[in-house]
Amino acid sequence: AAMTTMNPDLRRERAAATFQPELLTHILDGGAERTRRRKEIEALVINDPDFQHEDLNFLSRSQRYEQAIRKSSLMVMKLREYGIADPEEIYWFKSFVHRGRPEPLDLHLGMFLPTLLTQATPEQQDRFFMPAWNLEIIGTYAQTEMGHGTHLRGLETTATYDPATQEFILNSPTVTSIKWWPGGLGKTSNHAIVLAQLYTQGQCKGLHAFIVPIRQLGTHEPLPGITVGDIGPKFGYDEMDNGYLKMDNFRIPRENMLMKHAQVEPDGTYVKPVSDKLTYGTMVFIRSLIVGDSARCLSRACTIAIRYSAVRHQSELKPGEPEPQILDYQTQQYKLFPLLATAYAFHFVGAYIKDTYHRISGDINDGDLSELPELHALTAGLKAFTSWTANAGIEECRMACGGHGYSRCSGIPDIYVTFTPSCTYEGENTVMMLQTARFLVKSYIQVNSGQQVTGMVSYLNDLSRQRIQAQHVAARTVSVRINDPVSLVDAYKARAARLVEAAAKNLQAELNHRKSKEDAWNRTSVDLVRASEAHCHYVIVKLFTAKLSEVSNAAVRAVLTDLCLLYALYGISKNTGDFLQAGILSDGQITQVNQRVKELLAIIRPNAVALVDSFDFHDLHLGSVLGRYDGNVYENLFEWAKKSPLNKTQVHESFHKHLKPMQSKL
Amino acid sequence: INPDIASERQTASFSVEKLMAWLDGSAEHTRIRRAVVEAIECDPVFSRENQYFQSQNERYEEAVKKAVHLQKKMQEMGWTENGPEYKYIYRALAGDVAFLLHRVFMRSISMLGSDKQVAKWIPLATQYQLIGSYAQTELGHGTYLQGLETTAVFDITTQEFILNTPKISAMKWWPGDMGRSATHTVAFAQLYIHGKCYGVHPFIVQIRSLQDHSLCPGITAGDIGPKMSFEHADNGFLMLQNVRIPRENMLSKFCEVQPDGTYVRWGSQKINYFTMTSVRISLISDEVITPVMKACTIAIRYSVVRRQSKLKPGEQEAKILDYQTQQEKLLPQLAAAYAFHLISNYLQELFDRGYREIQRKNFDMLPELHAFSSGFKAIITQYCTSAVEICLRACGGHGYSLLSGLPSLYTKILASCIYEGENTILLLQTARFLIKCFMAASAGQPVPPSVTYLAAVKPGKCPAKNKLDFLSPDIYMEAYRHTAARLVSSTAAKLQDLTQSGVKKHDAWNQCTVQLARAAKAHCHYITVKNFAEAVVKIETQAGIQKIMKHLCDLFALHGIFSNAGIFLHDGYISGTQMDMVTASYLDLLPVIRKDAVPLVDAFDFTDKSLNSALGSYDGQVYQRLYEWAQKSPTNTQMSPAYERYLKPLLHKKLSKL
């Protein structure tokens, strides 16, 4: 009976909410119809006995891989059976099947097939696409090497063209050139798209992509000349066979180079591609997905931590009274509510980038690439900003759950280890921030030379005006209204402008001192990263604020406005140094900001559970005993622990093997 | 040896051996430590090579095997619990060993037990005739000890205590060694005599048979399931149903229940928590400083071997440690490792002094000791946990491989933010002490020497004129002191305002907790900087050590100001222009320390076996090691059924539904 009734604390919390969570769910999903469809797909998976299995926490790595492969195989067939083809619907289906975890076919579906579509010639598509679509060919995308990651030009794998046989000879010339990390490479794939330095007619033509068969069809044994395997255990990603690949004089036909853009003719003549900007498109797309992932992973962690904090009672707030819910402690609210606000902010940013990408990818197909550089710079920075923040936020949520957060049953350790690599893959975050900085500095220089810039950096245009009226800087400070999100956007804008300018000036000063541009850049890079962070922070506050006016329901708008204010003010209170030093806010205003943050915590408190309910994660997807919708935490924690592998027998075999002999000897 | 790492060692500005001796306390200590490490590492039973490939069950068995073997080893080597070798054994084993809670069990009996109890139990425990655990935390209750729900009711007719777990949230949950190994435990329970509750007390309870290890009547116990790390430890649960233990099993150095049910106490009730104070202080060096030093060693060595992108066109790809952003990630962590090593020594001395007093039943130092152990445990574990994570992420993709050694260092150290007291709560305990001392000091009453500075809060301005001034310890220490005092005094004022305006005391406290925690952090940060600066002045060894330590101290201090600029700028103590000087001085230090980065981690003197990392080995042969080790993974050496069962039918279209 305990299982079916809702914990009274949670029932009370839900009854006290000032808005309807469903309405907010619709906003997050992009409309009521999309919510309906998402839940429909969710039900397809959850009610399907084929997708059930033992709690993954109790399985070994090898067993987890096996379960993932089993489910992936079924998933591919069922997607076709149900006729689900919309990319977003596929994404939902997949994340319910795998409960938000990676799976061995990720690279096949997410990289191998799309790369064939965008980079293969029609003839190559005939040969490879349908077999790959039908999973006779399972492929992966082998780019990263043991010694080389984000800096692609440094890759060492070679593909040398031999006109005599019309073949490419692939080689991994050094240990550092061994392909390392590609998902699905270790055990699953029989083909790989390999990135290698192309050599023809004695010259290096840079990186190109080749389709390389790696395992024998039928036996799945590695082909002669191929050494392939799993890279061993990692921090998370247990179900993924990240692999290594070493090639020794391995020959593939000329026709296996992906030749839609660049070509090698039979005699070895190299034909250059028309534009290299096109590859930006894929990167922008994948990085925008990471922004959305940051939002979702942080939302899951917040859901768990906030529900648990409403169920857990600890210590006393008032002498003589029962122990209060830990969510009533100011320090607990101060840990969790800014993260909740951040999760909402990131949702809206993720949706914005996705929409922008879809809007301009039409232009890209028409050959108009003018908006791409800014979007590229923006997504690089936002990918880094959101993944860093979410990463730290997930850990904060885990720690806010005290000891039980550390148990695998809380689900947060898994969210963390699954998410945290996104700080590194698809572009290491510091490098991403520096790419954004490069764009910011370029824009700053443009403004300084009298040109106007457009888009998210247009605030830089104001810098020259402000310089003329330097004496008004003090007057500017009092104009920030701390209860008005629009005014706070201006404050963030001023901070970004100031930090971009400071970094650009420091860079100039270094350039005046030193000969080398690269040295100067390196010696300014800490400032440059700060400037990029401030820019991204501004963009997020701006997008969150803009979202408010789109919300029609007054109760929902009110609660989102509280969150938006909290997000903006908390960000100021965590970076007071920047705002004080630039004279954007005074000491007195900072004190007010700190005070207002605490008031907002109390205002948001009654809606906290409803705000995480709005994320609408199914218990199965959440995978957490602490975050259960019904709040029956302790009974289920005990039930869960009883299934632990160490509890299989009443007396563990170690007693007979080690303990008993010791006791008799001593 | 990889030439990229060899060249780093040729240019050291100081003697690595001398620095090592300074860190260890003397060259003799270094010698003993190395001998212990050597003896342990050459014994194959203690090998950790397969650790990353093992399941929870296998890890647990290994840990028990090692713990048992260790007893033999100690006899063989002539090491004793009181000998100088003892403290190095744990370091050499890298913690992957069972019976750590057995030690806490013994420690709590030694500290809280009567002479008679010590005489009875300690020899049994030393001989491993029984295995102990320490059962305090419950499913529903952690840091707030008064909230524990387990009961111990005195039955005057049988002269026994009857222990019970009245409801599910009262179940003991988390104690190490208790899930599978322990035969006994010290259980904390609410003591009831004649229906009156006397608060939480410790009781020795037998939970498993000494014959066949089966559970004793009335006992339900087992393992709590997989965690983020600590796979080797059988953290357990324990339910008690009318379990009877003799009256003599209540630990009674400081209080006792007499046969007629009279309750007698000598000294403070708080003394029952003294085991925690002692554990908090000792965990800092073993569980926190050592891992952060290892993480720095791995990340810094890897950063001189890994080359990525070009700094200058036409040149070889640069070592990633030559990038300013990489230096800014790693070098402050290195400085922090040194800073916290020094404060940990300071805390240990303070504790030893306090313990001697308590043995004499003088409890005067208890509040300060408690405040210190709480606050420093909180800031050091929090700082170092984030430091290890920074090191992990500074190693790019390879950091996520378990073979880098960093994930297991991280998942282990991060538990330290919660166990032995959740950090936020600990900071608030320190804050309570600070506010009390501030009030006392303001009223002209005497306060402990560490907090006398609170009495002298006055507005002022930082006197620095140029960036070099910020390399003067007097300048930055004063900035820290001023800021800590300001945060304590302004929070005290806020509390007073609230209570004077009619807000109830506990409500006012809750409304100020965010500021209170911040004040406590600032206080501990100040003491750490001050202690570092004072230690540098006292260095007598020559050979360039004082100079490099001064750089590290400056870096630690300036990094703290740079990263918390707001609180220093807030009342104008440091001006905007001065903050730019701080930033400049801070960034200037990075390339200076960069030159000595590898020798500075070499001085921590971890063997390759103890690092257990493909990225951090002394010889810098990173890639070869990574490749060879990965091939030993069971995923490569054992056949997985996945191909035959799923992949093959999939590739050959034989899955039923296709």
Side-chain angles (χ1 to χ4, degrees), chain A residues 166-186:
Chain A
Q166 304 220 355
E167 288 172 322
F168 292 102
I169 310 164
L170 283 125
N171 268 301
S172 310
T174 57
V175 176
T176 46
S177 75
I178 296 172
K179 294 292 177 187
W180 201 267
W181 283 109
L185 173 64

mmCIF file of all heavy atoms in Angstrom, chain A residues 166-186:
data_model
loop_
_atom_site.group_PDB
_atom_site.id
_atom_site.type_symbol
_atom_site.label_atom_id
_atom_site.label_comp_id
_atom_site.label_asym_id
_atom_site.label_seq_id
_atom_site.Cartn_x
_atom_site.Cartn_y
_atom_site.Cartn_z
ATOM 1 N N GLN A 166 45.247 1.677 -57.987
ATOM 2 C CA GLN A 166 44.091 2.540 -57.722
ATOM 3 C C GLN A 166 43.532 2.288 -56.333
ATOM 4 O O GLN A 166 42.324 2.138 -56.135
ATOM 5 C CB GLN A 166 43.012 2.322 -58.786
ATOM 6 C CG GLN A 166 43.553 2.537 -60.176
ATOM 7 C CD GLN A 166 42.566 3.270 -61.072
ATOM 8 O OE1 GLN A 166 41.436 3.560 -60.711
ATOM 9 N NE2 GLN A 166 43.012 3.618 -62.271
ATOM 10 N N GLU A 167 44.444 2.269 -55.374
ATOM 11 C CA GLU A 167 44.019 2.061 -53.977
ATOM 12 C C GLU A 167 44.646 3.113 -53.062
ATOM 13 O O GLU A 167 45.687 3.694 -53.394
ATOM 14 C CB GLU A 167 44.479 0.682 -53.486
ATOM 15 C CG GLU A 167 43.724 -0.481 -54.096
ATOM 16 C CD GLU A 167 44.333 -1.826 -53.722
ATOM 17 O OE1 GLU A 167 45.590 -1.930 -53.665
ATOM 18 O OE2 GLU A 167 43.569 -2.763 -53.478
ATOM 19 N N PHE A 168 44.005 3.301 -51.917
ATOM 20 C CA PHE A 168 44.641 4.069 -50.842
ATOM 21 C C PHE A 168 45.237 3.081 -49.855
ATOM 22 O O PHE A 168 44.627 2.063 -49.520
ATOM 23 C CB PHE A 168 43.626 4.936 -50.103
ATOM 24 C CG PHE A 168 43.079 6.059 -50.935
ATOM 25 C CD1 PHE A 168 41.810 5.981 -51.508
ATOM 26 C CD2 PHE A 168 43.841 7.200 -51.145
ATOM 27 C CE1 PHE A 168 41.312 7.012 -52.270
ATOM 28 C CE2 PHE A 168 43.343 8.247 -51.917
ATOM 29 C CZ PHE A 168 42.078 8.157 -52.487
ATOM 30 N N ILE A 169 46.442 3.434 -49.366
ATOM 31 C CA ILE A 169 47.081 2.586 -48.360
ATOM 32 C C ILE A 169 46.983 3.332 -47.033
ATOM 33 O O ILE A 169 47.536 4.423 -46.880
ATOM 34 C CB ILE A 169 48.554 2.341 -48.702
ATOM 35 C CG1 ILE A 169 48.658 1.865 -50.169
ATOM 36 C CG2 ILE A 169 49.177 1.332 -47.747
ATOM 37 C CD1 ILE A 169 50.070 1.973 -50.713
ATOM 38 N N LEU A 170 46.252 2.755 -46.086
ATOM 39 C CA LEU A 170 46.059 3.436 -44.796
ATOM 40 C C LEU A 170 47.045 2.942 -43.770
ATOM 41 O O LEU A 170 47.311 1.735 -43.662
ATOM 42 C CB LEU A 170 44.625 3.222 -44.303
ATOM 43 C CG LEU A 170 43.667 4.135 -45.070
ATOM 44 C CD1 LEU A 170 42.558 3.359 -45.705
ATOM 45 C CD2 LEU A 170 43.167 5.252 -44.180
ATOM 46 N N ASN A 171 47.592 3.908 -43.022
ATOM 47 C CA ASN A 171 48.582 3.551 -42.016
ATOM 48 C C ASN A 171 48.416 4.373 -40.745
ATOM 49 O O ASN A 171 48.061 5.549 -40.796
ATOM 50 C CB ASN A 171 49.992 3.779 -42.556
ATOM 51 C CG ASN A 171 50.538 2.524 -43.206
ATOM 52 O OD1 ASN A 171 50.646 1.474 -42.570
ATOM 53 N ND2 ASN A 171 50.835 2.625 -44.496
ATOM 54 N N SER A 172 48.713 3.712 -39.624
ATOM 55 C CA SER A 172 48.833 4.409 -38.335
ATOM 56 C C SER A 172 50.324 4.414 -38.034
ATOM 57 O O SER A 172 50.853 3.438 -37.506
ATOM 58 C CB SER A 172 48.092 3.638 -37.244
ATOM 59 O OG SER A 172 46.778 3.326 -37.661
ATOM 60 N N PRO A 173 51.024 5.487 -38.406
ATOM 61 C CA PRO A 173 52.485 5.415 -38.386
ATOM 62 C C PRO A 173 53.105 5.440 -36.989
ATOM 63 O O PRO A 173 54.241 5.020 -36.822
ATOM 64 C CB PRO A 173 52.918 6.649 -39.178
ATOM 65 C CG PRO A 173 51.757 7.598 -39.098
ATOM 66 C CD PRO A 173 50.525 6.748 -38.970
ATOM 67 N N THR A 174 52.405 5.937 -35.981
ATOM 68 C CA THR A 174 52.982 6.040 -34.637
ATOM 69 C C THR A 174 51.951 5.558 -33.624
ATOM 70 O O THR A 174 50.780 5.401 -33.958
ATOM 71 C CB THR A 174 53.290 7.513 -34.277
ATOM 72 O OG1 THR A 174 52.059 8.241 -34.390
ATOM 73 C CG2 THR A 174 54.307 8.139 -35.203
ATOM 74 N N VAL A 175 52.384 5.375 -32.375
ATOM 75 C CA VAL A 175 51.425 5.009 -31.326
ATOM 76 C C VAL A 175 50.401 6.126 -31.168
ATOM 77 O O VAL A 175 49.207 5.884 -31.008
ATOM 78 C CB VAL A 175 52.146 4.750 -29.984
ATOM 79 C CG1 VAL A 175 51.136 4.467 -28.882
ATOM 80 C CG2 VAL A 175 53.088 3.584 -30.112
ATOM 81 N N THR A 176 50.878 7.372 -31.215
ATOM 82 C CA THR A 176 49.959 8.493 -30.995
ATOM 83 C C THR A 176 48.924 8.611 -32.100
ATOM 84 O O THR A 176 47.920 9.289 -31.930
ATOM 85 C CB THR A 176 50.731 9.822 -30.904
ATOM 86 O OG1 THR A 176 51.685 9.870 -31.974
ATOM 87 C CG2 THR A 176 51.416 9.967 -29.579
ATOM 88 N N SER A 177 49.149 7.961 -33.244
ATOM 89 C CA SER A 177 48.201 8.086 -34.348
ATOM 90 C C SER A 177 47.095 7.035 -34.291
ATOM 91 O O SER A 177 46.211 7.044 -35.137
ATOM 92 C CB SER A 177 48.941 7.958 -35.686
ATOM 93 O OG SER A 177 49.272 6.601 -35.905
ATOM 94 N N ILE A 178 47.153 6.137 -33.320
ATOM 95 C CA ILE A 178 46.097 5.118 -33.223
ATOM 96 C C ILE A 178 44.769 5.823 -32.953
ATOM 97 O O ILE A 178 44.684 6.684 -32.082
ATOM 98 C CB ILE A 178 46.411 4.121 -32.086
ATOM 99 C CG1 ILE A 178 47.694 3.346 -32.417
ATOM 100 C CG2 ILE A 178 45.252 3.154 -31.855
ATOM 101 C CD1 ILE A 178 48.196 2.474 -31.289
ATOM 102 N N LYS A 179 43.750 5.492 -33.716
ATOM 103 C CA LYS A 179 42.423 6.061 -33.482
ATOM 104 C C LYS A 179 41.949 5.613 -32.107
ATOM 105 O O LYS A 179 42.090 4.421 -31.763
ATOM 106 C CB LYS A 179 41.434 5.593 -34.559
ATOM 107 C CG LYS A 179 41.762 6.109 -35.959
ATOM 108 C CD LYS A 179 41.563 7.611 -36.075
ATOM 109 C CE LYS A 179 41.955 8.118 -37.448
ATOM 110 N NZ LYS A 179 41.924 9.600 -37.516
ATOM 111 N N TRP A 180 41.411 6.508 -31.335
ATOM 112 C CA TRP A 180 41.127 6.243 -29.918
ATOM 113 C C TRP A 180 39.869 6.985 -29.519
ATOM 114 O O TRP A 180 39.775 8.170 -29.809
ATOM 115 C CB TRP A 180 42.323 6.727 -29.092
ATOM 116 C CG TRP A 180 42.440 6.106 -27.722
ATOM 117 C CD1 TRP A 180 41.943 6.600 -26.564
ATOM 118 C CD2 TRP A 180 43.130 4.895 -27.362
ATOM 119 N NE1 TRP A 180 42.266 5.768 -25.507
ATOM 120 C CE2 TRP A 180 42.992 4.720 -25.959
ATOM 121 C CE3 TRP A 180 43.843 3.936 -28.088
ATOM 122 C CZ2 TRP A 180 43.537 3.629 -25.273
ATOM 123 C CZ3 TRP A 180 44.390 2.864 -27.400
ATOM 124 C CH2 TRP A 180 44.241 2.710 -26.011
ATOM 125 N N TRP A 181 38.941 6.332 -28.934
ATOM 126 C CA TRP A 181 37.688 6.881 -28.413
ATOM 127 C C TRP A 181 36.445 6.678 -29.259
ATOM 128 O O TRP A 181 35.343 6.706 -28.707
ATOM 129 C CB TRP A 181 37.761 8.400 -28.091
ATOM 130 C CG TRP A 181 38.460 8.700 -26.824
ATOM 131 C CD1 TRP A 181 39.687 9.286 -26.692
ATOM 132 C CD2 TRP A 181 38.019 8.426 -25.471
ATOM 133 N NE1 TRP A 181 40.046 9.398 -25.365
ATOM 134 C CE2 TRP A 181 39.031 8.871 -24.602
ATOM 135 C CE3 TRP A 181 36.875 7.831 -24.926
ATOM 136 C CZ2 TRP A 181 38.939 8.760 -23.225
ATOM 137 C CZ3 TRP A 181 36.774 7.724 -23.547
ATOM 138 C CH2 TRP A 181 37.801 8.187 -22.719
ATOM 139 N N PRO A 182 36.504 6.527 -30.589
ATOM 140 C CA PRO A 182 35.234 6.476 -31.315
ATOM 141 C C PRO A 182 34.257 5.445 -30.720
ATOM 142 O O PRO A 182 34.643 4.309 -30.441
ATOM 143 C CB PRO A 182 35.651 6.087 -32.739
ATOM 144 C CG PRO A 182 37.017 6.651 -32.875
ATOM 145 C CD PRO A 182 37.649 6.463 -31.515
ATOM 146 N N GLY A 183 33.022 5.874 -30.515
ATOM 147 C CA GLY A 183 32.000 4.993 -29.937
ATOM 148 C C GLY A 183 31.606 3.908 -30.926
ATOM 149 O O GLY A 183 31.538 4.149 -32.127
ATOM 150 N N GLY A 184 31.356 2.701 -30.428
ATOM 151 C CA GLY A 184 30.937 1.610 -31.293
ATOM 152 C C GLY A 184 32.083 0.985 -32.070
ATOM 153 O O GLY A 184 31.883 -0.001 -32.778
ATOM 154 N N LEU A 185 33.266 1.545 -31.933
ATOM 155 C CA LEU A 185 34.408 1.030 -32.706
ATOM 156 C C LEU A 185 34.975 -0.256 -32.094
ATOM 157 O O LEU A 185 35.400 -1.156 -32.811
ATOM 158 C CB LEU A 185 35.512 2.104 -32.785
ATOM 159 C CG LEU A 185 36.851 1.697 -33.413
ATOM 160 C CD1 LEU A 185 36.679 1.337 -34.888
ATOM 161 C CD2 LEU A 185 37.886 2.817 -33.286
ATOM 162 N N GLY A 186 34.949 -0.353 -30.783
ATOM 163 C CA GLY A 186 35.642 -1.449 -30.106
ATOM 164 C C GLY A 186 35.140 -2.822 -30.499
ATOM 165 O O GLY A 186 35.930 -3.714 -30.822
#
